[in-house]
């Protein structure tokens, strides 16, 4: 058996088509959705992600402001940018690419972003709403992209056993909350670095969401035949056979394809969905601001 492909690229293209109509409607009201992306330092992978976000904005007619700061930037300088952007009327979304250099307090900076402009969905107010089961706010992009892709593929979650590997604030924990929320209704286990018998736990799952950042960790022997496997990992691994000396690997071993019922590819799975959800959050934020102004 070979798994069906959870094609994030195709699903993201569909999301973009729907967004184009909403962007046109905003334009009729004289509004151009506007996203600011700030990156600090020179991590090559982060620059690739940020460039891809900016290019998608351009393609969709979302205005973008792209700010690059050197790795030794004083935290106060970054906070000053955020403070100004919070008050900038024509700006709808602020994204600060993670990770930040170690001398910066990432949580304190996330907390400063105005919740209505928090298109990453990481602000305690937005995450708090999610904990309350309110899934109509600005949701973290990778987990909401995973959910959208599962829905698009017609995968039924109600009553199913889901295992989320990883408990990060960006992916694992919000993904677990969304899978367990009313409407999705899965039964969720969160596994992490201290979990015992992770293979056994995975082997009982109908859905596995792998978000640990460990190349090809999830083995075919861990997966129940026919299970849905979502690979959130995007790891660079050394590969002397490639001209550039490395290749991309997910958190899931390629042999899982022979066992799973569905599998998301890397690249072309969760990555494009994360960006599509960021665009959707930016448009949503612009619509909410418009609607507040017209009340
Ligand atoms: N780094 C990796 N994923 C993300 C994301 O979704 N948002 C931000 N801001 N940084 C990231």
């Amino acid at each position: 058996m070979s798994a069906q492909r959870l094609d994030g690229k195709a699903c993201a293209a569909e999301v973009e088509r729907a967004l184009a109509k909403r962007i046109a409607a905003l334009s009729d009201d004289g509004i151009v959705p506007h996203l600011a992306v700030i990156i600090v330092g020179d991590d090559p992978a982060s620059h690739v992600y940020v460039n891809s976000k900016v290019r998608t904005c351009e393609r969709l007619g979302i205005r973008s402001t792209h700010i690059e700061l050197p790795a030794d930037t004083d935290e106060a300088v970054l906070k000053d940018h955020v403070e100004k952007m919070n008050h900038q009327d024509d700006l709808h979304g602020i994204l600060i690419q993670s990770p930040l250099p170690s001398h910066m307090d990432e949580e304190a900076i996330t907390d400063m972003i105005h919740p209505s402009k928090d298109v990453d969905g990481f602000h305690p107010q937005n995450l708090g709403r999610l904990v309350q089961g309110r899934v109509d706010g600005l949701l973290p992009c990778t987990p909401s992209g995973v959910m959208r892709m599962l829905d698009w593929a017609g995968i039924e979650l109600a009553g199913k056993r889901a295992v989320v590997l990883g408990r990060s604030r960006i992916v694992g924990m919000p993904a677990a909350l969304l899978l367990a929320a009313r409407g999705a209704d899965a039964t969720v286990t969160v596994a992490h670095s201290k979990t015992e018998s992770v293979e056994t736990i995975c082997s009982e799952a109908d859905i596995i969401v792998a978000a640990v950042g460990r190349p090809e960790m999830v083995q075919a022997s861990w997966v129940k035949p026919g299970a849905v496997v979502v690979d959130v990992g995007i790891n660079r691994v050394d590969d002397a056979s490639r001209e550039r000396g490395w290749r991309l690997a997910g958190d899931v071993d390629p042999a899982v394809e022979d066992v799973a019922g569905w599998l998301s590819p890397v690249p072309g799975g969760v990555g494009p969905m994360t960006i599509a959800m960021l665009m959707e959050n930016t448009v949503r934020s612009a619509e909410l601001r418009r609607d507040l102004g017209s009340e």
Side-chain angles (χ1 to χ4, degrees), residues 6 56 73 79-80 84 86 101 142 165-166 169 187 193 199-200 243 245 260 278 282 285 293:
L6 268 171
T56 310
T73 300
K79 286 184 165 172
D80 198 42
K84 287 199 179 100
N86 277 342
T142 300
L165 295 171
R169 129 197 110 107
T187 302
S193 52
E199 314 86 85
T200 311
E243 201 178 320
L278 173 66
T282 305
S285 168

Side-chain angles (χ1 to χ4, degrees), residues 46 49 53 95-99 120 122 141-142 170 274:
S46 290
Y49 301 145
K53 289 168 186 175
L95 179 140
I96 298 169
Q97 186 65 24
S98 179
D120 253 331
F122 296 162
C141 302
T142 300
I170 292 184
T274 298

Side-chain angles (χ1 to χ4, degrees), residues 243-264:
E243 201 178 320
R244 60 189 177 188
W246 56 271
R247 66 183 169 86
L248 279 182
D251 287 352
V252 175
D253 191 279
V256 167
E257 176 151 22
D258 299 332
V259 185
W262 289 88
L263 175 63
S264 68

Side-chain angles (χ1 to χ4, degrees), residues 7-25 56 59-60 62 148 152 273 276-277 279-280 283 287:
D7 190 341
K9 214 169 156 190
C11 181
E14 205 166 281
V15 172
E16 283 192 15
R17 280 195 289 279
L19 282 180
K21 292 185 191 143
R22 291 165 63 182
I23 293 166
T56 310
R59 192 168 66 238
L60 284 174
I62 293 175
R148 185 69 64 85
W152 175 77
M273 288 308 298
M277 294 298 103
M279 300 299 122
E280 191 173 276
V283 170
E287 289 169 344

